Structures are given as structure tokens and as C-alpha cells.
Amino acid sequence: MTVADDRRARVAAEQYTLGTLSFEEALTHTVGHPIERATVAGALEYLASLSALQPQAALSQHDTELLDDAGFTDDGERASFAVALGRTHTMADLRRTALTASDVADLLKVKAPRVRQLTSIERKLWALDDIDKRGRLYPKAQFTDTGMVPHLDHILPRLPQTMHPLTVNAVLTQPREDLTVDGHPASVVEFLTSAATGKDLPDVLEVVERATSLG
């Protein structure tokens, strides 16, 4: 966090305490982009589920590690809310930027039945479990401007079907030390798009297997 970011966050906190900013406005000022009421509501629902499953609202090991990596060392309610808000915002962003089934058909130049087959039978396309007013949604990370991320159709079928969408997204988009592009850690998607050839696929599959076993 920069000095300017820190000052902006402190001012927002003070204004919220004084009642001159709503909670959503204070969050928006703090993070630098709009936070909608639905995002906060989703975070609260996640916190409620934590309380139901874990009476002390303890963070999972996965979420604790995410907080540590991001520089949050506090535990308790502040850390729990940070995780809840982050998870909810990421899910909202996954849905907002996702492609519809029609978009996917156009991008891949196939008919709707083929999209359904790739999704439900072959599992070579990743779709979110729930269906909203736009229909079935396909997270954008798996696509390039011209089609599927190369070789990803060999990886998606190997992911556990019960894996949470946020975990799938992290597996595909978080930089990995074992994958590099121009000497820098790269995500699975970045590596497959920028540097991978068919002979690299076993190595990528091994990285994905390690990531999913940890998730």
C-alpha cells in the first residue's frame, strides 16, 4: 500500500466513523473502485456460513495463507471480514466478466449443442455452477481473444468437479514459481498462452496437480 493509499483509507475510515460516508462509500474510497451493496451482502452471507460451520469463525488454512501472503497478519473478525469481502468481490467479478454460452459459441465457432457437450460431458469448458439471468456463465480466464487458451482443454477435465470456482480461478490465474515467462513466475493461463508447447503439458499438469492438492 502506498502512502497515498494509506492516507485515503484513513480518511475514509474517519469519515465513516463520523457518519459522512456510508459503508459502501467508505469501502469504495479505500480500495479505489466501486463496491456495491450486493458485494457487501455476499460477504456477510459468507461470514454467516463461517459462523455456522465454525462457531469461533476461524479462518480456513487456505484463507489464512492468502491473508498472510497479502500482508494481513491480524486474526479474528477483521481478518474474517477481509477474506469474506475479497472472496465475494472476486466472485462478483468472475460473473461480471464471464462469457455467456452464446458468446462462447461465437468465439469457438461452434453450435450451442457443442458448447453444452464440451461443458457437461467432456468438461473441456469451465462454467460456473449457478445460472443467472444471462444463463450459464463461462469465466473469461479460459479464453483468449480468438478462442480457448491453448492446451487448457487437457487441464480442465482433470480438476475436481467439486472444486469451488474461486479455487479454480486461483489455480489458473495465480503466478506459479515452477512456470516462468521471460524469467518471471507465470500463471497457468499466462504460461499456456505465451510460452507453452505440447511438450510442456506434462510439466503444467504436474503444477496443476500440486496446486489442487493444496487447495
Side-chain angles (χ1 to χ4, degrees):
M1 177 180 285
T2 67
V3 173
D5 291 336
D6 182 66
R7 182 176 182 279
R8 185 175 64 226
R10 290 177 183 276
V11 169
E14 291 172 359
Q15 292 177 330
Y16 172 69
T17 302
L18 293 172
T20 58
L21 286 180
S22 70
F23 187 55
E24 293 85 4
E25 290 170 335
L27 285 172
T28 295
H29 280 67
T30 299
V31 302
H33 55 77
I35 298 291
E36 298 179 352
R37 181 169 296 227
T39 300
V40 178
L44 294 175
E45 290 173 359
Y46 174 66
L47 285 174
S49 71
L50 272 184
S51 297
L53 295 173
Q54 306 175 66
Q56 301 302 318
L59 296 175
S60 68
Q61 181 65 27
H62 176 68
D63 286 342
T64 300
E65 291 172 356
L66 287 178
L67 279 176
D68 289 341
D69 291 343
F72 292 96
T73 56
D74 290 344
D75 55 7
E77 59 187 22
R78 284 186 296 174
S80 294
F81 189 75
V83 168
L85 188 61
R87 288 169 65 96
T88 306
H89 184 68
T90 302
M91 276 303 304
D93 195 54
L94 276 182
R95 290 190 177 92
R96 180 181 59 81
T97 60
L99 279 65
T100 65
S102 177
D103 294 332
V104 173
D106 290 343
L107 181 65
L108 301 184
K109 297 178 173 57
V110 298
K111 302 293 186 181
R114 179 57 178 156
V115 173
R116 291 194 292 271
Q117 182 180 28
L118 288 169
T119 303
S120 301
I121 299 176
E122 298 181 28
R123 296 184 56 227
K124 292 181 178 180
L125 286 173
W126 168 35
L128 298 180
D129 293 335
D130 56 329
I131 297 177
D132 75 358
K133 61 185 179 182
R134 290 188 290 156
R136 178 168 275 174
L137 298 179
Y138 294 80
K140 191 176 181 180
Q142 63 196 304
F143 304 107
T144 68
D145 291 339
T146 57
M148 280 285 293
V149 169
H151 310 295
L152 196 60
D153 58 339
H154 294 282
I155 293 172
L156 290 176
R158 294 172 178 252
L159 299 180
Q161 289 184 273
T162 57
M163 184 173 285
H164 193 281
L166 291 181
T167 304
V168 176
N169 188 62
V171 167
L172 297 181
T173 64
Q174 285 185 355
R176 306 285 168 184
E177 294 292 336
D178 296 336
L179 300 174
T180 59
V181 173
D182 296 330
H184 301 287
S187 69
V188 168
V189 164
E190 182 183 6
F191 183 77
L192 292 176
T193 303
S194 303
T197 62
K199 65 181 179 62
D200 296 311
L201 190 56
D203 293 334
V204 179
L205 288 169
E206 184 177 341
V207 171
V208 169
E209 183 176 345
R210 286 200 300 271
T212 54
S213 66
L214 292 174

